[in-house]
Amino acid sequence: AAADPADEWTMRPDLVRDPWLRVPSLSGKPVRRQRETEERGRGASRAPASSLPGAQWLTDKLLLNRHAAARLLPHQGRQRILFMVFGGSSMGDFLFHWVAHVRRLGLDSHVLGAMDEALFRRCDEAGVGAALLKTPPTPTREDVAGIETSWRYYRMDPKAFTQMGVLKVDFFEEFVRAGFDVLASDLDVTWVRDPRPWVTGQAAGMQLLAHADVLVSTDIANLALDTARSERWRYAEVNTGVLFLRNTNGTRALLAAWKRKMLDELTAGRLRKDSWGFNDQTYFNMIVRALGLQGVQSQGVWRQWLAERGLADGEVDASREGDRSVYRSRSALPLPSGGSAHITLTALPALEFSGGHIYFVQHEQLARATPPVALHTTYQFSDTPAYTWGKRQRLREAGLWRGDGDEYFDAARSGGFLRLVGPLVEPGSLEGVKVREGVAAVRIEGTKGYTDRLMNNVVDPTALPEDNPMRHLTFDVLQRAALRDALALARALGRTLVLPRWTCYVDKLWAGSDNIIGMGFMYPGSQDAPFLPFACPMDHVLSPAAWAKAEVDYRDGSFLSSPRLSPELTAAAVDVQLLERSAYDVAAAAGGGATLLPLGATAVEAAKLLGGRNGGAALLRLPHARGLLCGVGGRPAATREFNHFAQPLLRAPAWCARCAKREGCPSNLAKWLTPEQTGSPRGHGEWCLRTPPPPRFRPGQCVLNDAVT
């Protein structure tokens, strides 16, 4: 099985050496409609925010609460790096998670840009430095005076998210005007290490970055394309999730152009709630690509660039191998105060300033023993209008989430924990196991006769090549069925299930238009450094949103590695031995049944056997769940209730991809599947994997989880 990256990473002292910073959560319950403005925010009926004790104006538009004023005002105009995040009350727990990590790193000059007075006041109460922007509506800004949306998670509403982007740039401009260099990040970015050596040019190979106006992260998924002198990032998507803005004219000109582009789109009415793919980052990319960037080491550019930066010839060595390049715009952009300025810009290194695919799927940082500096939870799934469940789950699995209170780690409040020690399915434990090919089903679009034959055909899952999608599907069926029993037993015991790690043999794509099939079932770009199979995140195979909706109390795969857990919990764990019924009967008759459990019991029987002398144990550990339960037991209604409860939890998320237009699906899939298996793909050459749910329990009948074999 693939290694669990979180088990190692969460124990690294540079990740968890500091104690947990307790911060309140503001996420609250979903609302049907909200409008966050100074007039209609939660604090609208209160005294003005400027009357809060200790609040002070940094500029004529920017109000600091007392905590931000104490940190920032003494450094105003001193070219100090200011760490900034921006958001509203609806994502308060992510914002305070961000604060917890910058405090852990000792980055005292930080501020939370509050989108509404409710968050500004809450930060003041919680001891968190915050800023509030006072920008009165004008005819040209009518559409961004208030952000109106029915979605609490703004990222899911392109128009609202772009409106938020305009306000964010307003914050940037004011802090730059006040003399700060701004290192801004999205609220789903976690600062793992101190980034200042990179943005100041002190880190190895980064000397030129100290002279760039703007530094930005990227969505590159292939680290081989992110070498020091590579220019491939210019043709990929730059990601404004991490954005360094030096206090220069170049930065002012770029910010003005960026805001102007967003306002033009908003006032022209081209953005709607269904305008997917358009947001503040989209418009930033448009501007950067239009700049006509040239490497400053290029002939004819170097001396001109040195003069613009006020550097003497020889003060910076342009010939050092391994130094990361920076780029100067061919054209100048107008400055708000008059005149114009050229922009110097480059991308931050993707290994250190990492996106979600490189970290959570490829596990590149673990393989290279290089912890990231910033971790952006991109390329994830299970977001809803109410909340970004997938992002939180990813950070929990990495041992980095700081939004859980002490009760989350309290075994007594959780009813104790139930854990499967190993993976759901070990390939070595499947000797002799056969799976019906039609049960582990791709989307079959062949003839009915072929489909019938497929349902009767059996395959050995361990004999399938690792890059065959059928291997992923057969193991997925077995893993999902094993989870059914673990969930039923935890429910019967009243315990909280610690989810085991899942092994994936194919990647999960980000968008249906990406030709993941033609890339060997890896996200385009990442196939150059093959990483299959891998320990995949929960949101690849299950829906964290569905589990949250069902209010299932569960824990992630790295939970038991958390330093916040009591050491006594694992020290007092009880290991349960699973035996065939006949062997169990012999052992129980000899008085050794306290930590034994017969395979094929009902959940009611298993709970009774384990709930006696083991009932007070904080942690029960099972070696596996294959063949664990035969049924729920008890009243027939209890079986129906469990099936209804478990069905949405065990359902596989959609997995569809478009094949390359020129070759088509039959050609892309010919290495693994016959023409009958690929069938006639849906419109636009789309091909889907379909994983059926595990077999349901039936009252009065035995339905083992290996009934799929």
Side-chain angles (χ1 to χ4, degrees), residues 49 143 167 196 217 360 367 370 428 445 455 467 481 504 616:
D143 202 22
L167 296 178
R196 289 175 294 188
S217 58
F360 294 109
T370 303
E445 303 198 33
M455 287 299 294
D467 66 346
C504 286

Side-chain angles (χ1 to χ4, degrees), residues 76-322:
Q76 186 175 2
R78 297 187 183 179
Q79 207 79 4
R80 188 178 179 90
I81 295 175
L82 172 66
F83 289 80
M84 182 186 168
V85 69
F86 176 80
S89 298
S90 59
M91 294 296 291
D93 53 353
F94 262 88
L95 293 166
F96 284 116
H97 159 85
W98 183 93
V99 171
H101 277 282
V102 296
R103 287 186 178 178
R104 177 181 62 82
L105 294 170
L107 306 174
D108 293 331
S109 292
H110 63 267
V111 68
L112 191 157
M115 225 172 79
D116 55 84
E117 282 201 19
L119 180 60
F120 186 72
R121 292 176 181 278
R122 191 66 189 90
C123 287
D124 192 69
E125 296 167 4
V128 173
L132 186 67
L133 191 68
K134 298 289 187 178
T135 304
T138 68
T140 59
R141 296 180 56 84
E142 183 178 2
D143 202 22
V144 296
I147 297 177
E148 188 169 341
T149 178
S150 58
W151 301 43
R152 293 180 66 247
Y153 178 37
Y154 291 98
R155 183 67 180 84
M156 304 297 283
D157 184 335
K159 181 179 178 181
F161 200 55
T162 301
Q163 292 172 324
M164 181 175 164
V166 175
L167 296 178
K168 182 168 64 175
V169 174
D170 282 336
F171 270 99
F172 296 161
E173 288 182 321
E174 290 303 304
F175 279 116
V176 169
R177 185 159 71 95
F180 290 95
D181 293 340
V182 177
L183 182 48
S185 62
D186 285 353
L187 55 84
D188 62 334
V189 169
T190 298
W191 291 108
V192 181
R193 288 195 285 159
D194 186 346
R196 289 175 294 188
W198 279 263
V199 301
T200 59
Q202 297 175 42
M206 302 293 155
Q207 65 151 345
L208 292 178
L209 271 62
H211 307 290
D213 299 309
V214 176
L215 305 172
V216 63
S217 58
T218 70
D219 280 336
I220 284 177
N222 184 349
L223 291 179
L225 303 180
D226 191 50
T227 58
R229 297 293 175 94
S230 171
E231 298 188 2
R232 291 297 296 272
W233 68 267
R234 294 167 54 190
Y235 309 103
E237 181 88 353
V238 297
N239 191 310
T240 55
V242 178
L243 185 63
F244 179 70
L245 303 164
R246 208 176 303 278
N247 179 15
T248 63
N249 279 338
T251 291
R252 293 182 182 89
L254 184 63
L255 289 176
W258 187 14
K259 184 167 68 174
R260 187 165 53 250
K261 178 64 175 174
M262 288 189 285
L263 286 171
D264 287 346
E265 294 297 314
L266 288 166
T267 55
R270 286 188 287 267
L271 274 176
R272 303 183 307 274
K273 292 183 179 180
D274 60 350
S275 300
W276 293 108
F278 292 89
N279 51 52
D280 61 326
Q281 180 174 294
T282 310
Y283 303 120
F284 185 91
N285 272 273
M286 289 179 181
I287 292 167
V288 168
R289 287 171 184 163
L291 288 175
L293 296 174
Q294 297 175 291
V296 298
Q297 297 97 326
S298 304
Q299 187 174 5
V301 177
W302 178 248
R303 294 183 185 279
Q304 184 180 8
W305 180 75
L306 288 176
E308 289 175 353
R309 314 311 290 183
L311 299 169
D313 195 6
E315 189 173 343
V316 180
D317 185 356
S319 63
R320 293 196 328 192
E321 285 295 324

Side-chain angles (χ1 to χ4, degrees), residues 12 92 99 236 299 306 366 372 408 435 487 493 694 705:
R12 292 180 65 94
V99 171
Q299 187 174 5
L306 288 176
L366 183 66
Y408 186 80
V435 178
L487 186 62
L493 288 167
N705 61 23

Side-chain angles (χ1 to χ4, degrees), residues 32 76 92 120 210 268 315 365 561 623 625 643 661 690:
R32 288 187 61 81
Q76 186 175 2
F120 186 72
E315 189 173 343
Q365 287 85 358
S561 299
N643 287 336
K661 290 183 179 179
R690 296 288 189 235

